[in-house]
Amino acid sequence: MESSYYVPVDAPASDGTSPADDSSARHEYFKPTDATLSVWSPTMQHGGPPSALMMRSLLRCDPDPAQHFTRVTTEILGPIGLGVNRIHARVTRPGRQISLVETELEVQQPDGSFRTAAKSVGWRIRGADTSEIANGPAPLTPLPDELPSQIGFPDDSGEAVDWGTLGFIGTVESARTEGRYGQTPAVWLRAALPLVEGEKTSDLEAMFIVIDVANGVGTRLRPDRWSWMNTDTTVHLTRIPGGPWVGIDAHMVAGPDGFGATLADLYDTSGYIGRSAQTVLLNAVG
């Protein structure tokens, strides 16, 4: 198994015709490892690790300890390849009460140029003590430490899709419990690897490594008959989450016109933390 999802690297040299760097933006550069590989294609990354890398970028962009991320939308603009990834963020709406931060992830092409493959936008809202009025669904139980767990998503019960243990899926520890939403089990997930080599992964980064998996665990469609890749993920948080385990109770609704949506309730081991939504592109296979 790889030791991380990304390895920091130096900026690649320009080839003289397709500049590898942009002096107007301060980028970080990373090489994705095989631990990022998608179940849909061996030439692209699963949506989870890039989402977390962008969450890392948002967290490090002009941080304000008084504000917390409450909504993050990740847009996947195309296949996120395995070339050198570069990323940079900026505050587009500063403020003391609320602020908006954006980040873009670009992938190096064979000619040395970079193509924008994904972007994330996050709203930050100032924190305050509202515990007196706090409410939400009951915690997801049993907790992951009380359940048998496994690496990946091999199905031996007919309750979920058999995603196996290859690539990114083979780096995720999962534990199933009874779902409350839809017809599939709820799943506790945690990544077995750090996001970036040599770094401690924060709770929000750890959460975003696995949240994209909601689209895979929220349906009983068979991948040998259908594909249902998501184009985006929006996460609304109702409190500050604690990691590394994330509970996902997901349900994918397939519409009659070639698209659908995966909706999921999200939990940490202390209780409910919010909700995610993903647009799904439906295609028949073969």
Side-chain angles (χ1 to χ4, degrees):
M1 182 184 290
E2 301 283 352
S3 60
S4 65
Y5 295 105
Y6 296 97
V7 177
V9 295
D10 294 332
S14 169
D15 63 7
T17 58
S18 300
D21 201 4
D22 176 2
S23 60
S24 67
R26 298 178 61 183
H27 294 93
E28 290 185 281
Y29 292 81
F30 301 92
K31 184 70 176 75
T33 71
D34 286 347
T36 66
L37 289 178
S38 169
V39 297
W40 298 112
S41 169
T43 63
M44 68 182 189
Q45 299 178 56
H46 188 279
S51 297
L53 193 65
M54 288 187 286
M55 186 70 249
R56 175 186 177 275
S57 179
L58 293 175
L59 286 167
R60 292 179 177 224
C61 181
D62 194 18
D64 183 345
Q67 294 185 347
H68 306 289
F69 281 98
T70 61
R71 192 222 70 187
V72 177
T73 295
T74 298
E75 310 281 5
I76 301 174
L77 305 180
I80 305 175
L82 301 173
V84 171
N85 290 189
R86 74 177 186 183
I87 194 164
H88 73 279
R90 60 191 179 277
V91 177
T92 55
R93 195 283 190 193
R96 289 182 297 175
Q97 294 265 36
I98 60 174
S99 58
L100 184 68
V101 190
E102 298 182 0
T103 190
E104 291 189 2
L105 186 152
E106 301 171 293
V107 179
Q108 190 174 30
Q109 305 303 293
D111 67 357
S113 65
F114 280 82
R115 172 184 60 85
T116 302
K119 59 177 61 178
S120 284
V121 179
W123 279 106
R124 300 186 306 205
I125 292 180
R126 62 97 183 98
D129 183 3
T130 53
S131 55
E132 181 181 349
I133 58 171
N135 63 79
L140 181 65
T141 56
L143 295 176
D145 291 342
E146 302 168 330
L147 294 166
S149 64
Q150 60 190 354
I151 294 297
F153 299 90
D155 182 42
D156 55 8
S157 63
E159 292 184 330
V161 176
D162 182 357
W163 291 112
T165 58
L166 298 177
F168 170 71
I169 294 302
T171 71
V172 176
E173 185 177 3
S174 66
R176 293 179 191 158
T177 187
E178 184 177 356
R180 305 166 182 166
Y181 182 52
Q183 300 176 331
T184 52
V187 183
W188 286 103
L189 304 171
R190 69 174 173 184
L193 301 178
L195 178 63
V196 174
E197 184 180 70
E199 293 184 5
K200 178 177 173 56
T201 305
S202 73
D203 287 343
L204 264 179
E205 291 164 4
M207 175 181 166
F208 273 78
I209 291 174
V210 299
I211 278 182
D212 185 85
V213 172
N215 190 44
V217 300
T219 182
R220 286 197 175 98
L221 288 178
R222 312 310 301 185
D224 58 345
R225 296 189 59 192
W226 295 95
S227 68
W228 58 99
M229 289 186 288
N230 57 295
T231 60
D232 57 81
T233 299
T234 295
V235 177
H236 286 270
L237 295 172
T238 57
R239 65 175 176 84
I240 301 170
W245 284 102
V246 180
I248 299 178
D249 190 4
H251 178 53
M252 197 269 276
V253 179
D257 302 307
F259 57 91
T262 297
L263 308 172
D265 288 331
L266 307 174
Y267 302 83
D268 64 12
T269 54
S270 296
Y272 183 78
I273 55 176
R275 194 159 173 78
S276 68
Q278 298 167 298
T279 304
V280 178
L281 171 66
L282 298 168
N283 278 305
V285 174

